[in-house]
Amino acid sequence: MRRALMFFVIGSLFLSGCWDQRLYKDLAIISVIGVDGYIGDIKAYYAYPSSSDDPTQYIVLDGKGKTAREVRMDANNKSEQAIDIAELTTILFNEDTAKKNLYKMLDVYYRSAQSPMTAKIAITDGSVKRYLNLKETIPKEIGEYYLDFIKSFEDYSIYPKTNLEIAANLMFSEGVDLGLPYIKTSGKGLPQAKGLALFNGQKYTGVHLTQRESQFVTLLGHGKANFAELSYLWDKDGEQIPVSFSVIRFKKKKKVAQVGSKIKMTYEIKMPVVMTEYPPDHLNKKKKRDPIEKFIAKRIEKDMAKMFKKCQDAESDVIGIGEEIRAYHPNLWKEGKWKELYKDMEIKAKVNVQIERSGSTR
């Protein structure tokens, strides 16, 4: 018994403690970071809760420096606690910052084992500072608010699911470009989703899609998420009729052909829907459904044509057409010259809409 006791006593002397232990009481748990400026002159803002009883109360630290790491060190010097980003939910970047080279600004996060790769990234219209000044308007902790805000648009197939890890892969891909949430606000108002910020490689092009155009990019390039809803006004016989519907399924086939020196790509889309708004009713009759289905199909084809052109003009292949060409049509793929082919190719959509359900009324 004495030998065993002596063994445990001596052995305990050689056991190391938790040398890298970090206690919550000693940390400022950052949930949202906002970044203005660029390498050489950066200013960043770090938001963290200030009250355990009221999650809407938070403190925003600011830091200045020439590098992203120096900025964090400067902000850390202004806090009574050490900055910790292990629970970071969202990073906001000023659009002017993203236009230069977003990856260089994200390098500091990829090199840290603390950084959560699930954190969301968004591009802001104007300075990020006002996007962190929401204390009187949001009902929850600011990090949770921005995470839920972006996820809600992902659930409705408006934003493709993107985080730090996915963004890094796309910024180095030749066959598909990155698209990030583009948000806007005025004064102390709540942020608004304005669509998808289009990237060409590692740089924001300065062009963003509308919400509807972003939804078509997501449906074509990533597939339908939990929901997808659309709404149009039909000008029929001098009367404007609301036509709203939810997408049940979104199936697509792609056809690629070479016409001379150009590539032609056609999407054949089948889209069964359930009507959610149509005041004239009588959708149980085929002769009533047919004109509506044709109207919806033509409007979607027209909107998709605008979206394709906007992406091509920005030289941003957010749908991932290049991945399709490289994988299944290698004879058309030209390494390093894909964007030259992409911006001049013909892209069309043929949409077939079927009203499968008319809602609770006929």
Side-chain angles (χ1 to χ4, degrees), residues 42-328:
I42 306 172
K43 188 167 185 178
Y45 304 89
Y46 302 83
Y48 67 97
S50 60
S51 170
S52 57
D53 299 322
D54 186 357
T56 64
Q57 297 301 309
Y58 61 92
I59 294 172
V60 179
L61 293 174
D62 67 87
K64 295 180 180 179
K66 295 181 179 179
T67 71
R69 176 60 69 180
E70 187 178 50
V71 169
R72 191 185 301 179
M73 291 164 60
D74 183 54
N76 203 48
N77 291 336
K78 301 173 184 178
S79 173
E80 78 283 3
Q81 298 167 308
I83 286 179
D84 187 280
I85 63 167
E87 295 186 16
L88 180 66
T89 68
T90 314
I91 310 174
L92 304 175
F93 284 98
N94 183 324
E95 61 181 337
D96 290 332
T97 301
K99 284 176 184 177
K100 295 181 179 178
N101 189 308
L102 185 62
Y103 183 82
K104 288 183 179 180
M105 298 298 291
L106 289 171
D107 178 80
V108 67
Y109 300 98
Y110 294 124
R111 292 184 185 276
S112 172
Q114 277 186 295
S115 301
M117 290 296 103
T118 55
K120 303 293 184 182
I121 312 170
I123 307 302
T124 67
D125 172 55
S127 173
V128 298
K129 186 177 181 179
R130 66 173 182 262
Y131 295 85
L132 298 179
N133 189 21
L134 306 174
K135 296 180 183 180
E136 299 175 1
T137 54
I138 58 173
K140 57 178 72 173
E141 193 273 322
I142 187 169
E144 184 182 359
Y145 171 79
Y146 271 111
L147 181 63
D148 291 346
F149 176 80
I150 294 172
K151 278 187 173 180
S152 68
F153 287 94
E154 291 176 349
D155 286 341
Y156 275 86
S157 310
I158 294 172
Y159 292 153
K161 291 186 178 180
T162 310
N163 53 37
L164 272 170
E165 181 180 6
I166 295 171
N169 293 331
L170 293 179
M171 281 189 281
F172 285 96
S173 171
E174 286 197 349
V176 57
D177 279 310
L178 174 65
L180 291 176
Y182 184 85
I183 60 177
K184 189 174 183 178
T185 188
S186 56
K188 293 184 179 180
L190 288 174
Q192 298 177 358
K194 287 298 181 181
L196 206 61
L198 300 179
F199 277 71
N200 183 347
Q202 299 172 14
K203 298 179 180 180
Y204 171 46
T205 62
V207 177
H208 71 273
L209 302 177
T210 64
Q211 273 199 34
R212 181 167 291 168
E213 291 165 344
S214 302
Q215 192 165 43
F216 292 138
V217 163
T218 303
L219 290 170
L220 287 169
H222 305 269
K224 175 178 167 286
N226 296 336
F227 313 98
E229 293 185 336
L230 288 163
S231 184
Y232 291 102
L233 273 177
W234 187 11
D235 193 354
K236 185 183 179 185
D237 300 326
E239 182 183 1
Q240 288 191 322
I241 301 172
V243 179
S244 304
F245 54 92
S246 292
V247 178
I248 300 172
R249 291 180 300 278
F250 188 90
K251 294 183 178 180
K252 64 182 185 293
K253 287 185 179 179
K254 293 163 277 191
K255 291 186 177 180
V256 178
Q258 187 169 7
V259 182
S261 60
K262 292 187 178 181
I263 303 172
K264 181 179 180 180
M265 187 166 196
T266 304
Y267 285 93
E268 293 183 353
I269 298 163
K270 287 187 177 182
M271 198 174 72
V273 303
V274 53
M275 298 300 295
T276 56
E277 184 181 21
Y278 184 71
D281 293 331
H282 304 295
L283 291 173
N284 58 318
K285 298 177 181 179
K286 188 176 186 300
K287 66 178 182 179
K288 294 286 185 180
R289 293 197 306 270
D290 286 350
I292 303 169
E293 290 172 346
K294 290 178 181 177
F295 164 76
I296 294 172
K298 286 182 179 179
R299 285 300 302 269
I300 290 176
E301 288 174 357
K302 185 178 180 180
D303 286 345
M304 282 190 174
K306 290 180 182 177
M307 177 271 293
F308 288 138
K309 186 176 189 309
K310 192 179 284 188
C311 291
Q312 286 179 282
D313 288 346
E315 296 185 34
S316 179
D317 183 12
V318 284
I319 297 174
I321 293 173
E323 290 286 301
E324 170 79 13
I325 300 296
R326 180 164 59 180
Y328 300 104

